[in-house]
Amino acid sequence: MSSLWKSQVEMVSGRELTLHLTSVHPDSGAPSDSPLFALRLLVDGRERAAGDASVRGRDDVPGAAEDIIESVTMSDLQNFPFAEHAEKQRIEDGLRARGLDSHDEAAWQAAFQDAWRDLWSDASRLPNARLEIRVYDPSWTAGLSAGDHWESAAHG
């Protein structure tokens, strides 16, 4: 599955972890404050950033999220909902303003793809939020440090 989110650890202390989430795909939807979403992010972080494969699959165990995640608080939600159609229209309008002709399909598509890539590389224009996660057991935040980052297909 493709990545939906870029997660970056802003703070970790004992049982608490603050993540800054940025969408990396238009299908990401809004982030969630559900324990399952938080657990999926933590599993990916522990595997990818901390190199701990022992947590693999824990997010698929029924009831695990409620046993591991004490609370999740979402804040600083920005650029939601992501207006994909409006962004595509804005890009197309910009291409026309530059004098590109949509009938020149190869040039139009190349220019559109460049502009779309530029959009998705500008975090200030993308959906993002802050997630504060509190776990019952501090071993779930072990190995993660401020500045660690990873991509995740977390949903839920």
Side-chain angles (χ1 to χ4, degrees):
M1 175 177 240
S2 350
S3 294
L4 299 173
W5 300 101
K6 177 183 177 191
S7 303
Q8 181 162 355
V9 177
E10 292 184 335
M11 183 281 301
V12 62
S13 177
R15 298 184 316 136
E16 297 179 3
L17 174 78
T18 302
L19 295 177
H20 185 261
L21 300 178
T22 304
S23 175
V24 296
H25 194 283
D27 291 342
S28 67
S32 171
D33 60 0
S34 78
L36 183 56
F37 182 68
L39 179 58
R40 287 176 171 154
L41 291 168
L42 276 178
V43 165
D44 287 345
R46 292 279 306 275
E47 283 191 77
R48 296 179 180 147
D52 180 3
S54 72
V55 297
R56 183 172 295 139
R58 288 295 301 273
D59 51 326
D60 291 329
V61 175
E66 291 74 19
D67 291 340
I68 295 167
I69 306 297
E70 182 177 333
S71 65
V72 182
T73 304
M74 187 176 3
S75 62
D76 301 329
L77 192 60
Q78 298 177 10
N79 301 324
F80 281 102
F82 179 66
E84 183 175 2
H85 178 73
E87 285 295 335
K88 287 179 176 179
Q89 187 64 51
R90 186 192 57 75
I91 289 171
E92 290 175 353
D93 291 347
L95 297 179
R96 284 185 197 89
R98 288 176 28 203
L100 289 170
D101 181 358
S102 62
H103 293 98
D104 182 351
E105 197 169 320
W108 182 267
Q109 283 301 317
F112 183 91
Q113 291 303 320
D114 286 345
W116 190 248
R117 259 189 308 280
D118 288 347
L119 167 69
W120 285 95
S121 65
D122 182 355
S124 70
R125 294 169 54 195
L126 299 175
N128 63 84
R130 182 164 283 105
L131 217 58
E132 296 172 19
I133 302 168
R134 184 172 180 86
V135 295
Y136 289 109
D137 179 351
S139 68
W140 274 94
T141 63
L144 294 172
S145 302
D148 285 347
H149 57 89
W150 62 91
E151 288 196 358
S152 175
H155 60 284

